Amino acid sequence: MKSLIYILLASTLTFAACFDTKKEDKADTSDKSMPMMMPLETMPIHRSNPLVKLKLAGELAPDQETELYAKVSSYVKKIHVDIGDRVGLGQVLMVLEAPEIQSQLATAKEKWKAQEAIYIATKANYDRMFKANETQGAVAKDALDQITARKLSDEALLNAAKAAYAEIQDMDNYLIIRAPFAGTITDRNVDLGAYVSPMGKAGEKPLLVVQNTQKLRLSLAIPEANTHFLHVGDTIHFRVRSLPQNKYSAKISRKSGTLDLKLRAEKIEADFINTGDELKPFMVAEAEIPLQHREPTFFIPKTALVESNLGVYVIKDDNGKAMKIPLSKGRVMADKFEVFGELNEGDRIVVKASEEIQEGTTIPAPKK
């Protein structure tokens, strides 16, 4: 009886195993029969010429900025300005004092006067001898040559004394610091009685800094690929972070004409008249630069462009077969690329291209 039960149990297990195996085989067969469908939607391309805006960060710099240093070692005697003061061209900003220069100037002046007196006496003697020489044989020729040489020598010494006095006088004039242009005092680093020396020493700060804040320069570095779009006179719009609600405009005033070796970009400057001192020098400006070709070009969706180790290309529908067309990129929009290559008006390209699509793949005809 027990043997019969064992036989029946074994038969049941064997039957169940066979049933599961057939079920798995059927499942495998059904999975393998499912085809891998990959839709290749295409679209025609057409030339267009949209206005593309390039966004770049720039800097607003003062049109003119000068750091004023002492020319000679001296002491600060008077200070007529402070930071924030408006100054005019040639206005006296600071007076320095150097007593030794005053002494040198007085000495040089006395030497000049002494040499001038010697020359006057020599010149008078010279004139008398030449007047006497009008009578033939009254004055020896050697005496005339000597007095002429003496006159020329004393005249040269007088001119040298004048030059020495003028040199020291120029040094004395350096003790008066004047504004090189109309602007605003933006920095002051000395007080009354401070000892100052000529620039060049390590860590030496300028006495004063003058900036022309009425006119600012917007400085931008334009990438190499976009330099040919911009010309002197073009308008640039920009904003600053501290006043995001305001939009400003400036015209390109100058281009460097060369590329920076590190950035591979061309420096351009746009002048901005800073009415009311609304903007400050060295603010960061967020500029919008218009980029537009003279002739229309092709713009394609970003999904249609393949960028791989083999290069940049699109997949063109060539009589129902996939063909890779190498391209180079131009301007960039939010969802499109400007491309250049062997493409023609009306060509159809795959909208969603990828590296998996091999050349020669069948492309279904577009639905009408």
Side-chain angles (χ1 to χ4, degrees):
M1 186 67 181
K2 290 182 179 179
S3 300
L4 181 60
I5 293 173
Y6 290 147
I7 291 171
L8 290 173
L9 183 59
S11 300
T12 303
L13 294 173
T14 303
F15 178 78
C18 293
F19 181 78
D20 290 340
T21 303
K22 290 180 180 180
K23 196 172 183 181
E24 289 176 4
D25 291 340
K26 287 182 180 180
D28 292 342
T29 303
S30 62
D31 289 342
K32 290 179 181 178
S33 63
M34 291 177 65
M36 296 294 292
M37 298 301 294
M38 188 175 183
L40 297 178
E41 181 186 354
T42 62
M43 61 170 284
I45 58 173
H46 302 283
R47 289 185 173 88
S48 61
N49 194 11
L51 180 64
V52 180
K53 293 182 178 179
L54 173 66
K55 293 186 177 181
L56 285 177
E59 183 182 65
L60 290 168
D63 182 59
Q64 292 177 297
E65 180 184 20
T66 298
E67 296 179 343
L68 301 177
Y69 290 84
K71 176 67 174 178
V72 295
S73 298
S74 53
Y75 294 92
V76 178
K77 184 178 181 181
K78 293 180 182 179
I79 301 176
H80 297 293
V81 294
D82 211 330
I83 61 171
D85 289 345
R86 291 289 182 84
V87 297
L89 174 63
Q91 180 178 334
V92 177
L93 309 179
M94 187 178 293
V95 178
L96 307 179
E97 185 177 37
E100 62 275 16
I101 291 183
Q102 301 300 323
S103 299
Q104 293 172 11
L105 186 64
T107 301
K109 186 174 183 180
E110 292 305 318
K111 288 182 178 180
W112 170 24
K113 296 301 180 183
Q115 193 60 48
E116 186 176 37
I118 294 173
Y119 174 72
I120 291 173
T122 304
K123 178 69 167 56
N125 192 19
Y126 170 85
D127 291 340
R128 284 193 300 270
M129 291 188 71
F130 267 82
K131 183 68 174 176
N133 191 47
E134 293 179 358
T135 302
Q136 189 173 5
V139 180
K141 183 150 187 336
D142 289 343
L144 290 175
D145 292 341
Q146 289 177 10
I147 195 61
T148 301
R150 182 65 181 275
K151 172 185 170 293
L152 294 176
S153 175
D154 289 345
E155 185 178 13
L157 292 173
L158 174 60
N159 292 333
K162 286 182 179 179
Y165 174 79
E167 180 181 0
I168 298 175
Q169 190 174 45
D170 288 339
M171 297 297 290
D172 186 58
N173 291 335
Y174 288 138
L175 296 175
I176 300 176
I177 308 298
R178 298 180 182 273
F181 51 81
T184 304
I185 303 297
T186 59
D187 197 9
R188 194 198 90 180
N189 296 301
V190 293
D191 296 310
L192 289 175
Y195 173 77
V196 294
S197 58
M199 64 177 295
K201 294 184 178 180
E204 189 78 21
K205 292 184 178 180
L207 307 179
L208 300 167
V209 177
V210 186
Q211 292 180 354
N212 179 5
T213 58
Q214 298 299 296
K215 182 179 177 182
L216 302 177
R217 296 187 181 207
L218 173 60
S219 180
L220 297 166
I222 307 300
E224 178 181 355
N226 301 318
T227 55
H228 61 284
F229 288 103
L230 301 177
H231 306 88
V232 174
D234 290 350
T235 300
I236 295 176
H237 301 285
F238 67 95
R239 299 178 187 271
V240 294
R241 295 175 185 176
S242 58
L243 297 167
Q245 71 277 13
N246 296 339
K247 190 175 184 179
Y248 305 94
S249 299
K251 289 190 175 182
I252 297 176
S253 304
R254 58 198 70 86
K255 300 175 64 178
S256 67
T258 186
L259 298 183
D260 181 89
L261 289 176
K262 294 181 180 179
L263 301 176
R264 293 294 173 183
E266 181 181 16
K267 182 179 180 180
I268 68 168
E269 291 183 342
D271 290 340
F272 175 75
I273 304 303
N274 191 23
T275 305
D277 287 339
E278 188 173 8
L279 301 183
K280 308 300 180 185
F282 306 113
M283 278 184 168
V284 175
E286 298 174 353
E288 288 185 355
I289 302 172
L291 305 177
Q292 192 167 31
H293 273 301
R294 295 180 179 177
E295 298 180 357
T297 55
F298 289 117
F299 279 81
I300 64 170
K302 289 185 175 181
T303 57
L305 195 70
V306 180
E307 299 183 69
S308 67
N309 295 332
L310 300 177
V312 180
Y313 60 89
V314 294
I315 299 175
K316 173 185 170 182
D317 182 356
D318 184 28
N319 296 321
K321 299 294 182 181
M323 176 184 289
K324 296 180 180 179
I325 306 296
L327 299 173
S328 57
K329 293 193 300 182
R331 293 171 290 173
V332 180
M333 298 181 70
D335 56 348
K336 294 181 180 181
F337 283 125
E338 181 185 32
V339 294
F340 301 92
E342 295 183 4
L343 294 173
N344 298 307
E345 184 75 16
D347 283 349
R348 300 191 71 87
I349 61 172
V350 175
V351 177
K352 295 183 179 179
S354 67
E355 295 182 64
E356 285 73 21
I357 303 175
Q358 300 297 319
E359 192 151 0
T361 302
T362 300
I363 298 178
K367 295 181 180 180
K368 296 183 180 179

